[in-house]
Structures are given as C-alpha cells and as structure tokens.
Amino acid sequence: MTTPKTILVVEDEAAIASFVTLYLTKGGYVVKTVATGTAALNAIAAEVPALIILDLNLPDLDGIEICRRIRKGSDVPILMLTARDEDVDKIIGLEVGADDYLTKPFNPRELVARVKSILRRSSMDRRRDEGDEISHGDLTINAGRREVMVGDREIQLAPKEFELLWELLDHRGLVLTRDQLLERVWGYTFAGDTRTVDVHVRQIRRKLEEASPIVTVWGVGYKVAQDRTSAPAA
Ligand code: CA
C-alpha cells in the first residue's frame, strides 16, 4: 500500500464540504477541510497537500486570488468549484493556473474521478526527463524546467498552457482534436466542453505572439506544422 494522499478541501458550505469529504475518504484519500481562504493559505504553508479543491466563492478571499497566491510558490494541482457556469471563463481565462473545475451541483463520483485523473496526470508529468526539450523555430520548451523560451526571452505559461503546447509540439504534423487534447492534457473528456481547450490556445497565442506555432484546423482541432521554416524575415 502506498501512503494515502492528502487533499485539502476549501469550502465554506458545510454540507458540500462534508459530502466531498465523505466521497474522497471512501476513494482512499486523507481529507483536510477549511472554510476560509486565510485558513487555506495557512494550511498550505504548513504542509502542501497532493491536491487542493477550492471553492470560488469564500467569505474572505476569493478563490481566484487564493489560486494566484498558491501559484506563486507551488504547482500543486488545484480543482476549482464554482456555483455558476459564467464563472468558468473567469477561472480558465484569467491565467490563475487551476488544473480543472466543476460547476455546482456536481456528482461526487465525478469529483473523485477528476481528482484521480489530475493526480495521475501530475505524477506522469514528474516522471518526464529533466532533459526533455522541444525546439520549433525560435521557440524552445523544456519539460524538466517547465520553461518556455522565445529566443532569449522567457515566457510564463500556466501549467495547463504548458502541457497543451507540449502535447501539440510533441505531435508535430498531426491534427489533435479538442477531445484528444482534453484527454491528453486534462486526463479525461467531458463531452462537448471544448471551451477549455480554446481558451488555453488563445492564452498561449497571446503570450507567444508571433512565435506561437499553433494552427487552427477548422472543424477539427489544432496542430503544429511539421517544419516551421526558419525563413529569413520578409
Ligand atoms: Ca462558497
């Protein structure tokens, strides 16, 4: 038996916190719960959990602010909970670096499935070689250092933006559908919700500007062209 992983649940609604705890405990996890953002930051400072389930609407700090603060010091996986569908764009569009989200009300089994796949995914990431590096034109991305360079300039990507870019570069010349990208980067498919992929691609393009190698294949998905001709600037 491996040591059970600890999950920190940050949720002020006691009923939700307790059923989430129940299902995660049944799923084999050790669960700690806190009801405020301040308590969450203190708990994380004392001990970084394997994963954080973070409610967007908390009585003190808002979930996005907490996420941002956690990301300054840690890549710990974060699953956000939101009460409204409109918040989703806020979560995935604001570079807060959450790994996934669920809209309330949600099925607790779905939550446990998401937690499992995020944890599986993040342990796979860690196994990647320090030296794994892909170059494409001016762009170089290094998996071990999780570093993206355009020439001499380092570009900061959120964890999922990095993974998405890596996946596309690693399959140069092939078109990956949005569903394939969801499965490879997020570790599951959630039927029909391809907005996540599109929002992340938009962020990558905005940050990399001219150096973005991602091509939209209308009606299908995205790809990176086999060879970016390092043609002299016209
Ligand atoms: Ca709440």
Side-chain angles (χ1 to χ4, degrees), residues 11-13 55 57-58 104:
E11 170 64 83
D12 59 315
E13 284 163 77
D55 184 31
N57 300 298
L58 292 163
K104 295 175 189 173

Side-chain angles (χ1 to χ4, degrees), residues 31-221:
V31 183
K32 268 193 215 164
T33 57
V34 291
T36 66
T38 312
L41 292 171
N42 289 338
I44 295 157
E47 190 196 351
V48 179
L51 182 141
I52 300 168
I53 294 176
L54 179 59
D55 184 31
L56 184 64
N57 300 298
L58 292 163
D60 53 348
L61 296 163
D62 114 332
I64 289 190
E65 179 56 27
I66 298 169
C67 202
R68 207 174 270 135
R69 293 199 197 174
I70 295 168
R71 278 288 170 263
K72 281 184 185 154
S74 168
D75 270 345
V76 57
I78 300 173
L79 171 65
M80 298 278 274
L81 300 179
T82 162
R84 289 189 313 266
D85 205 39
E86 308 91 79
D87 291 334
V88 168
D89 282 336
K90 209 155 97 184
I91 296 173
I92 56 186
L94 278 180
E95 308 164 47
V96 289
D99 293 78
D100 199 359
Y101 66 89
L102 273 178
T103 307
K104 295 175 189 173
F106 52 84
N107 180 332
R109 289 190 187 84
E110 173 71 10
L111 176 89
V112 176
R114 297 280 182 98
V115 164
K116 282 207 168 88
S117 83
I118 296 169
L119 288 172
R120 194 170 52 231
R121 187 79 219 170
S122 75
S123 65
M124 268 158 55
D125 293 346
R126 254 177 251 120
R127 262 181 268 133
R128 218 174 251 157
D129 261 1
E130 192 62 30
D132 274 357
E133 195 172 276
I134 303 178
S135 291
H136 198 260
D138 286 346
L139 177 70
T140 303
I141 81 171
N142 183 293
R145 295 198 296 273
R146 299 188 74 84
E147 194 178 78
V148 178
M149 303 290 293
V150 172
D152 293 335
R153 194 161 55 100
E154 187 176 354
I155 311 286
Q156 300 294 335
L157 294 188
K160 290 295 158 192
E161 293 164 6
F162 183 95
E163 289 298 316
L164 183 60
L165 181 61
W166 180 276
E167 209 56 44
L168 285 164
L169 282 166
D170 200 29
H171 294 85
R172 262 170 291 191
L174 295 174
V175 181
L176 294 177
T177 66
R178 291 175 175 82
D179 283 338
Q180 282 172 326
L181 288 166
L182 273 176
E183 197 182 338
R184 287 161 192 269
V185 176
W186 282 265
Y188 59 85
T189 48
F190 56 133
D193 195 353
T194 50
R195 197 160 39 154
T196 307
V197 176
D198 296 334
V199 172
H200 281 75
V201 167
R202 258 202 313 276
Q203 292 292 345
I204 295 169
R205 284 177 169 154
R206 191 180 59 75
K207 291 177 179 178
L208 296 183
E209 298 171 349
E210 307 280 274
S212 169
I214 302 175
V215 177
T216 304
V217 183
W218 293 107
V220 187

